[in-house]
Amino acid sequence: MPVLVRRHLSTAPWRRRLAAMASATALGAALLAGGATAGAATSAATGTAGSPDPAASSPVDVTVNADEGFGTIPGTAYGLNSAVWDDQMNVPQVQDLLQAANVGMLRYPGGSYGDMYHWQDNSAPGGYVAPGTDFDAFMGTVKKIGAQPMLIANYGSGTPQEAADWVKYANVTKGYGDKYWEVGNEVYGNGHYGSGWETDDHADTSPTAYADSVAQYASAMKAVDPSVKVGAVLTLPGNWPDGVMAAGESADWNHTVIPLIAGHADFVIVHWYPGGSDAATMLGEPTQLTGELAQLKDQLDQAGAGALPIALTEVNSDVDEDTQPDALFGADTYLTALESGVFTVDWWDTHNGPQAISTAPDGATDFDDYGILSSGTCVGDVCEPALNTPFPTYYAIKMLSELGRPGDQLVGAGTTSALVSAHAVHRADGSLSVLLINKDPSNSQHVALHYAGFTPDPASASVALYRDEADSIDTSTTGDPNSATLPPYSVTTLTLRAAAGSASALSAPGAPKVTAAGSTTATVSWTPSAGGTADRYEVYRSDGATSELLATSTGTSATVANLTPGTTSTWNVLARDAAGRLSRPSDPVTVRTGTPADSTCRVSYRLTGGWGNGFNADVNVTNTGPAPITGWTLAFTFPSGADESVTGFWNAELSQSGRTVVATPVDWNATLAANGGNSADFGFTGANSGAYPPPTVFTLNGTVCTTT
């Protein structure tokens, strides 16, 4: 019988959100409204429901935009954690299950064990290591299922030399070609901020000490094999210990570590365990991940490390961990992260073990087990299914390959209902797949599908369906390219052939690069399409599931004018052939505009502290114009995609409407002298759920200011 442990010794309370995000609240309300009348059993995606569902009269609109590209699916995309305390990790039955699910990355030796594991003798002092879990046995599983490993070099109780010796054994002695290596696990959990679960034997446990060590590890490891990629531990904005500073420090973990690892690390690592209190909240949280990853990219970019890829090497929810709600959350989270440019999403965990018994909204028994396969053990007289029985979360991972495989292109998709999520992939063979998630535990959801940049063959579509708590994926049905009925708590994938003659032979243009950017203009360039002669190239800005044409060019660059200052947007370039057909979209490029350097006002915005679901900010405003200003008004807008609100303020009066905040002076700072003669300084406390990016545009009495 396997001896299993939780990922940490106890559930860390700082992982739990103290405030539910607005979209999750809306989802909860929708579930209450939609769940009042239970829907009858439904057939497959194109079958008929028994009694009409409340949603039947108003189908959910799903828009798929194949002209909006998020890049291709990497071979490392669909990942999973493996742990040395799991004596089932390398048995043939488990290997076969992982191979069937197309798992492309396996992380080893398992979470916090990474900071106390010694690879030479397969030991973890203070923890249990199961027989048959040594490094070579693990690599046997990796090779058999055709995956790549993500290896955790021991930072907590190890040395750069030990890590270098591991690289030498793996890639020189054994020839495994192991590419990705993390330096430590959740090193910020070493007690430096008051909460400690991670082994760290260093006298200095600060983020500075860790970042300096990353450089030493990278140097030692690359001296053995220059081809390895070394990753450094960060935290996601809005997740503990983001914003927290120890005594005497002036910056939190990320803002300390990122500048020091630039030029040394090859990628960064984050973990995500949203702490929703119920299934409805949990199912709304993947949308929150988009904003958190965008804010992390901004932090990297501002520190000169914007080119570093991001790996999400642990993810799960703290709600209904081995039941259908967590499976829906998992499928949504994998794809949301990949659409945001993450190169691997590694689910926690292969096996984990039951902890407590509860009941999920669909009536299923939840064992509080973070694994995708049953450990076959019990809590009291309530026992899990037989050893290695797949939980719904296993099938969620398996469903990802029904949508797309490595090399296929992620494209845009959106819906009009919080109860339905949509993701889409333009496959290498020209077909299009759409994955649809019904988050309603009681009712079917009827959807109407619309397409941009793709013309489906009117013949029937193939369908893959994973129903609530089913023990297999149904691929025996066919569907309608334009509509579908999604059973309660289900994941459905429709795959459509392109109509004859509708696709261009031109390849996607090469990945565009920003060559110049000002406050209202930006220039991008790209390499030309192959497969024919392009009549022209078109530059599009993505806006949800739609795309806006910004510019056309007969060459391989374009300058776009009349942009809004201080904004961030995502652009794609497509080629149009002589017949008027568009190619596939290029990889996306992020375009940022600044604020005018010659403005008559200047504003600085500085975060002074945070605690996961709240933050403090300082704002300084200066009049640089030739005339004094008496009675000023400063306005700014919190960025879209974030849930931020002002909860307190000082040295000014603040009011908020939607995302827009207006500040007016108090008696003693109402006058701003000309030519920067003085400044008004005020601050506020904000509340946030997830991301809390800084506002980028400030207007003083209507004038757009220079922002620093």
Side-chain angles (χ1 to χ4, degrees):
M1 193 66 66
V3 178
L4 304 176
V5 297
R6 291 290 294 271
R7 51 182 298 277
H8 299 312
L9 296 179
S10 62
T11 300
W14 49 84
R15 292 198 180 282
R16 298 194 175 275
R17 308 277 178 210
L18 299 182
M21 65 179 181
S23 60
T25 303
L27 175 57
L31 285 173
L32 291 174
T37 303
T42 58
S43 66
T46 54
T48 57
S51 301
D53 289 338
S57 60
S58 54
V60 175
D61 286 319
V62 175
T63 300
V64 178
N65 182 12
D67 291 336
E68 179 185 10
F70 298 119
T72 55
I73 300 172
T76 54
Y78 308 145
L80 180 66
N81 275 269
S82 296
V84 292
W85 37 257
D86 175 9
D87 67 4
Q88 293 292 299
M89 68 181 290
N90 298 312
V91 302
Q93 182 185 10
V94 171
Q95 292 172 336
D96 292 344
L97 285 166
L98 300 191
Q99 187 173 32
N102 294 293
V103 171
M105 176 157 272
L106 282 175
R107 183 172 181 253
Y108 176 91
S112 296
Y113 267 54
D115 278 313
M116 58 184 184
Y117 177 73
H118 300 288
W119 69 272
Q120 299 97 326
D121 59 2
N122 193 42
S123 69
Y128 172 78
V129 176
T133 62
D134 60 84
F135 175 58
D136 286 314
F138 164 75
M139 284 304 302
T141 294
V142 169
K143 296 299 184 182
K144 178 179 178 179
I145 72 172
Q148 298 183 55
M150 174 71 76
L151 300 169
I152 310 171
N154 185 341
Y155 172 77
S157 61
T159 64
Q161 186 61 54
E162 181 182 24
D165 290 343
W166 194 0
V167 172
K168 182 177 181 180
Y169 178 78
N171 293 351
V172 178
T173 303
K174 302 294 290 190
Y176 290 141
D178 294 345
K179 182 176 180 180
Y180 297 102
W181 301 75
E182 302 179 46
V183 179
N185 182 54
E186 296 169 347
V187 181
Y188 46 75
N190 60 5
H192 185 72
Y193 298 114
S195 296
W197 62 85
E198 201 76 13
T199 299
D200 189 351
D201 295 340
H202 297 86
D204 185 351
T205 59
S206 69
T208 298
Y210 170 72
D212 290 342
S213 293
V214 168
Q216 297 170 23
Y217 272 72
S219 177
M221 296 163 76
K222 291 184 179 185
V224 175
D225 181 356
S227 71
V228 299
K229 303 296 184 183
V230 177
V233 173
L234 298 180
T235 186
L236 276 171
N239 293 258
W240 192 92
D242 176 50
V244 179
M245 288 172 277
E249 293 179 343
S250 59
D252 63 1
W253 182 273
N254 279 10
H255 289 91
T256 300
V257 171
I258 293 172
L260 296 175
I261 63 169
H264 301 288
D266 301 294
F267 64 99
V268 297
I269 304 123
V270 290
H271 294 171
W272 195 55
Y273 290 89
S277 59
D278 55 32
T281 301
M282 171 185 69
L283 289 172
E285 285 176 323
T287 58
Q288 176 180 307
L289 182 58
T290 302
E292 294 181 10
L293 287 167
Q295 188 174 351
L296 176 62
K297 290 178 183 178
D298 285 342
Q299 291 177 356
L300 291 166
D301 189 65
Q302 290 162 10
L308 291 180
I310 300 171
L312 183 56
T313 60
E314 284 188 28
V315 64
N316 206 317
S317 176
D318 286 333
V319 179
D320 300 321
E321 292 92 354
D322 46 62
T323 60
Q324 192 75 2
D326 200 29
L328 307 184
F329 165 84
D332 211 2
T333 295
Y334 268 94
L335 295 169
T336 299
L338 293 169
E339 290 161 359
S340 294
V342 168
F343 74 85
T344 185
V345 183
D346 304 332
W347 190 258
W348 185 273
D349 194 16
T350 306
H351 296 89
N352 210 66
Q355 303 296 313
I357 306 301
S358 61
T359 303
D362 58 352
T365 300
D366 175 29
F367 299 97
D368 193 25
D369 188 324
Y370 288 75
I372 65 168
L373 303 177
S374 171
S375 69
T377 51
C378 308
V379 175
D381 58 357
V382 179
C383 296
E384 291 187 340
L387 180 64
N388 293 326
T389 298
F391 287 127
T393 45
Y394 168 82
Y395 293 107
I397 296 174
K398 193 173 183 180
M399 279 293 291
L400 299 175
S401 292
E402 297 291 342
L403 176 69
R405 302 290 180 93
D408 294 340
Q409 185 179 40
L410 294 154
V411 296
T415 82
T416 57
S417 172
L419 290 170
V420 177
S421 287
H423 303 274
V425 165
H426 203 162
R427 295 189 178 214
D429 65 4
S431 60
L432 182 78
S433 293
V434 187
L435 184 141
L436 302 164
I437 300 171
N438 180 6
K439 305 174 186 179
D440 191 327
S442 303
N443 297 299
S444 296
Q445 294 291 317
H446 307 284
V447 301
L449 292 110
H450 313 276
Y451 304 94
F454 182 84
T455 304
D457 187 313
S460 59
S462 61
V463 178
L465 170 64
Y466 181 62
R467 295 175 180 274
D468 186 9
E469 298 288 331
D471 59 6
S472 65
I473 294 171
D474 179 5
T475 58
S476 62
T477 58
T478 58
D480 181 347
N482 300 308
S483 65
T485 298
L486 314 178
Y489 260 12
S490 64
V491 183
T492 302
T493 296
L494 288 84
T495 299
L496 323 166
R497 295 187 301 271
S502 63
S504 173
L506 291 170
S507 67
K513 299 182 183 299
V514 178
T515 57
S519 59
T520 59
T521 63
T523 301
V524 292
S525 62
W526 56 89
T527 55
S529 296
T533 302
D535 183 67
R536 64 182 181 272
Y537 293 94
E538 299 179 357
V539 180
Y540 288 86
R541 175 171 54 197
S542 62
D543 182 14
T546 62
S547 296
E548 176 189 3
L549 178 62
L550 296 179
T552 62
S553 173
T554 56
T556 55
S557 68
T559 298
V560 181
N562 301 316
L563 299 173
T564 302
T567 57
T568 300
S569 55
T570 301
W571 297 2
N572 295 105
V573 180
L574 294 87
R576 191 176 291 275
D577 63 21
R581 297 169 300 192
L582 284 171
S583 71
R584 294 192 183 207
S586 69
D587 286 347
V589 62
T590 299
V591 180
R592 295 180 173 88
T593 56
T595 50
D598 57 353
S599 176
T600 56
C601 54
R602 182 177 65 248
V603 173
S604 69
Y605 180 92
R606 184 171 64 92
L607 291 170
T608 58
W611 47 93
N613 66 324
F615 60 94
N616 287 329
D618 179 84
V619 182
N620 181 278
V621 56
T622 304
N623 169 26
T624 57
I629 297 175
T630 300
W632 51 268
T633 297
L634 186 75
F636 60 89
T637 301
F638 289 125
S640 61
D643 183 11
E644 300 176 80
S645 59
V646 174
T647 58
F649 45 84
W650 53 94
N651 296 341
E653 298 292 335
L654 272 66
S655 61
Q656 182 171 354
S657 176
R659 293 187 291 112
T660 299
V661 179
V662 175
T664 54
V666 291
D667 291 344
W668 62 86
N669 60 7
T671 298
L672 295 173
N675 301 314
N678 69 339
S679 296
D681 190 88
F682 66 90
F684 68 91
T685 298
N688 65 288
S689 292
Y692 57 108
T696 54
V697 178
F698 296 82
T699 59
L700 180 65
N701 291 356
T703 298
V704 177
C705 300
T706 303
T707 302
T708 60

